[in-house]
Amino acid sequence: SQKIEQNSEALNIQEGKTATLTCNYTNYSPAYLQWYRQDPGRGPVFLLLIRENEKEKRKERLKVTFDTTLKQSLFHITASQPADSATYLCALLMDSSYKLIFGSGTRLLVRP
Amino acid sequence: NAGVTQTPKFQVLKTGQSMTLQCAQDMNHEYMSWYRQDPGMGLRLIHYSVGAGITDQGEVPNGYNVSRSTTEDFPLRLLSAAPSQTSVYFCASSRRLPSDEKLFFGSGTQLSVL
C-alpha cells in the first residue's frame, strides 16, 4: 500500500535562508498532493495543493514541486522567519479510495 | 465561524471504559474523518465518511466505531478503552471528497487511558 516518507529529523536553519522539506511516496503517483502546517497543540492547517500536471505551485514565500518520476514533492519556504517554525506534513490519497493519509511530518526550526 | 468543533479537549479514561468523542462542522461539508496522532507516527486515519449514512474504515479502525446520521456530526466511539488508544484525536472535514479539496481540522482531543 501507499506509504509516505518525510525526514523525521528536525531541520534547523538561519532566518532569511530557504528551507526545503522533502516528501517521498512509495507506490503509484497520486493526482494531488497536499501540504499542511501544524503548530504544537493545534490541528494541521492547509497550505498548498499541487496537481500531478502542475510540476510547481507558488503562494507568497511558499513553493511546492511535484516530480512523479522521482515520486517526490519538495516544499520550499524562502526568506524564512522564526514564525515559520512548525511541523510540516504532506498528504495524499492512499489508493483509489478516499483515504487521505499523512506523512509523519518534518519539524522546521528557524533561528533568529 | 465555528468550523470544526471537537469536544472534549481533554479526557482521562480507565481501561475498559467507553466514551464518545464529538465532532461537528457547520460548513455543510460532505466528507468527514477521524485521525489519531502519536509521537513519531504522524496522523493515522481511523474512519471516514463521504456523506450522511456512509462510513468506511481507514488505516487503524480497530477498537473504534463511527456513525454519520447527519451531515454536521461525526462522533467517534471507543467501546472498551485500552492504553494503546492514548493519543491525540483530530476530526477533519472537507467540502467534497479529499482528493483535490483541503481538509479543515478541529483543535483535537487529548485522550489518556490508564
Side-chain angles (χ1 to χ4, degrees):
Chain A
S1 61
Q2 184 77 282
K3 292 193 184 305
I4 303 174
E5 297 165 352
Q6 293 186 259
N7 194 340
S8 59
E9 291 186 18
L11 179 61
N12 198 325
I13 65 170
Q14 185 74 41
E15 181 176 8
K17 301 294 186 182
T18 296
T20 299
L21 308 176
T22 304
C23 174
N24 295 300
Y25 55 92
T26 57
N27 292 343
Y28 76 99
S29 285
Y32 310 90
L33 190 145
Q34 303 182 15
W35 283 89
Y36 290 77
R37 169 184 172 141
Q38 187 175 23
D39 293 288
R42 293 177 173 266
V45 175
F46 173 82
L47 294 174
L48 282 170
L49 179 150
I50 186 166
R51 295 172 172 78
E52 61 178 341
N53 61 353
E54 289 186 313
K55 304 301 181 191
E56 180 180 301
K57 191 86 167 276
R58 292 176 184 263
K59 179 182 176 183
E60 297 173 352
R61 295 185 295 111
L62 309 180
K63 185 178 84 171
V64 172
T65 63
F66 193 4
D67 188 327
T68 56
T69 302
L70 294 178
K71 296 186 178 181
Q72 181 180 83
S73 175
L74 298 180
F75 178 83
H76 307 271
I77 305 176
T78 58
S80 60
Q81 304 166 1
D84 296 326
S85 298
T87 297
Y88 292 86
L89 306 155
C90 67
L92 48 80
L93 283 181
M94 185 174 179
D95 47 35
S96 57
S97 70
Y98 306 118
K99 301 175 184 178
L100 189 69
I101 61 172
F102 284 78
S104 56
T106 299
R107 187 178 174 203
L108 173 66
L109 300 171
V110 181
R111 304 187 309 273
Chain B
N1 296 334
V4 179
T5 302
Q6 288 184 239
T7 56
K9 291 192 180 301
F10 302 94
Q11 183 70 49
V12 179
L13 292 178
K14 295 181 180 179
T15 297
Q17 285 185 317
S18 63
M19 81 157 296
T20 299
L21 306 185
Q22 301 292 343
C23 176
Q25 52 89 9
D26 61 358
M27 298 173 283
N28 201 31
H29 283 177
E30 287 184 4
Y31 182 89
M32 296 186 74
S33 54
W34 276 101
Y35 291 86
R36 60 177 289 174
Q37 188 171 36
D38 303 295
M41 300 288 292
L43 289 159
R44 291 185 290 169
L45 180 64
I46 304 172
H47 286 286
Y48 66 96
S49 168
V50 299
I54 306 171
T55 64
D56 205 348
Q57 297 181 347
E59 302 171 273
V60 288
N62 293 340
Y64 308 94
N65 280 352
V66 292
S67 60
R68 184 99 179 266
S69 56
T70 67
T71 300
E72 296 77 20
D73 300 299
F74 190 44
L76 178 71
R77 298 183 185 85
L78 285 70
L79 299 179
S80 179
S84 61
Q85 294 179 304
T86 293
S87 188
V88 180
Y89 291 84
F90 288 101
C91 179
S93 72
S94 65
R95 189 164 56 103
R96 294 178 320 208
L97 301 173
S99 58
D100 62 345
E101 287 281 340
K102 61 183 179 182
L103 284 181
F104 292 81
F105 281 83
S107 56
T109 295
Q110 188 166 333
L111 176 67
S112 295
V113 183
L114 307 178

